[in-house]
Amino acid sequence: ETGVTQTPRHLVMGMTNKKSLKCEQHLGHNAMYWYKQSAKKPLELMFVYSLEERVENNSVPSRFSPECPNSSHLFLHLHTLQPEDSALYLCASARVGLDTDTQYFGPGTRLTVL
Amino acid sequence: AQTVTQSQPEMSVQEAETVTLSCTYDTSESDYYLFWYKQPPSRQMILVIRQEAYKQQNATENRFSVNFQKAAKSFSLKISDSQLGDAAMYFCAYRSLSSGNTPLVFGKGTRLSVIA
């Protein structure tokens, strides 16, 4: 599956580090999403970009900063994270305007904060 | 706000048998979409099947079918002739059609094991 790719697949960082997660979609979609997946919790929507404009921010701490430079790329910039931020971060994309706007997911980045 | 409940944290099925995963949701809306996603151990979330609420006919995709009971707000997934590759986390999700780019609301998931 190469429709939505994410890099890196695994990331270990200290609380004082700055890192970025990257997502790229090759499906011609116009909306992209960041989700956080923690153990035993439902997927949590973090950010939504539609037509490169942020349309939703679900009360995410400011230590997470998204960036969507174009419709194919989405970044999540991380700084001064906490151990509880350790999780799987999933990117998804969709074609907004079609009947179902089905979201297609990337493989995720497994983040560990020490 | 909409919620999605998957009451079975874990399920198991013998290879070649049939298993049903349950999902209920809460909404006051009449138009929406429902989805089942599969997340194998490799972590890639894959769409299994989707259902439009306005359609009475249950969606089917090969060995996967749903039992959509709109009045009961129930959306169960049936996997027939289970295969080892069906082992994964299964997530039920809801999407409103109320306006614009509404996000998916996910349940907590059901971990399905397939026994050879």
Side-chain angles (χ1 to χ4, degrees):
Chain A
E1 179 61 54
T2 58
V4 181
T5 58
Q6 289 185 243
T7 55
R9 295 294 304 274
H10 301 273
L11 178 63
V12 179
M13 59 187 290
M15 289 190 286
T16 59
N17 292 156
K18 289 186 180 181
K19 296 287 184 182
S20 295
L21 309 185
K22 179 182 177 181
C23 175
E24 186 172 359
Q25 60 94 4
H26 312 274
L27 301 170
H29 290 167
N30 56 8
M32 299 186 78
Y33 311 77
W34 278 118
Y35 289 88
K36 177 183 179 182
Q37 186 176 26
S38 305
K40 300 184 179 180
K41 293 176 69 176
L43 272 75
E44 301 171 63
L45 180 67
M46 300 176 71
F47 302 102
V48 180
Y49 276 84
S50 182
L51 302 175
E52 300 162 38
E53 178 182 347
R54 190 190 307 179
V55 296
E56 185 155 341
N57 177 344
N58 277 3
S59 301
V60 179
S62 60
R63 57 186 183 268
F64 294 91
S65 174
E67 179 190 1
C68 188
N70 56 61
S71 60
S72 299
H73 294 86
L74 182 67
F75 295 90
L76 187 62
H77 303 299
L78 316 171
H79 62 98
T80 60
L81 294 190
Q82 304 298 310
E84 60 263 30
D85 296 322
S86 298
L88 183 69
Y89 288 84
L90 292 169
C91 172
S93 70
R95 183 71 185 174
V96 175
L98 291 182
D99 55 354
T100 58
D101 296 354
T102 299
Q103 293 184 23
Y104 294 85
F105 286 81
T109 295
R110 170 65 64 186
L111 174 67
T112 302
V113 181
L114 302 177
Chain B
Q2 294 86 13
T3 58
V4 176
T5 301
Q6 292 179 250
S7 59
Q8 306 152 315
E10 296 182 355
M11 292 279 288
S12 62
V13 61
Q14 292 280 349
E15 200 175 3
E17 296 295 311
T18 296
V19 65
T20 299
L21 309 183
S22 66
C23 172
T24 58
Y25 56 95
D26 185 26
T27 184
S28 59
E29 300 176 335
S30 58
D31 291 328
Y32 48 87
Y33 290 109
L34 295 164
F35 304 84
W36 277 99
Y37 280 91
K38 170 185 177 182
Q39 189 179 35
S42 65
R43 297 292 186 176
Q44 185 96 38
M45 191 90 74
I46 304 166
L47 177 69
V48 175
I49 199 166
R50 61 184 173 222
Q51 174 80 43
E52 293 88 341
Y54 65 86
K55 290 186 178 179
Q56 292 185 339
Q57 186 174 8
N58 288 326
T60 299
E61 287 287 343
N62 300 316
R63 296 182 296 107
F64 298 88
S65 61
V66 298
N67 183 4
F68 174 46
Q69 301 289 331
K70 190 172 184 179
K73 298 179 183 176
S74 171
F75 183 60
S76 61
L77 175 70
K78 185 172 81 171
I79 306 174
S80 304
D81 186 25
S82 297
Q83 301 175 0
L84 294 177
D86 295 332
M89 282 290 289
Y90 286 83
F91 294 95
C92 178
Y94 168 101
R95 180 179 174 277
S96 167
L97 288 178
S98 59
S99 63
N101 193 356
T102 51
L104 288 171
V105 177
F106 284 87
K108 290 187 176 182
T110 296
R111 182 175 300 282
L112 178 66
S113 301
V114 180
I115 303 167

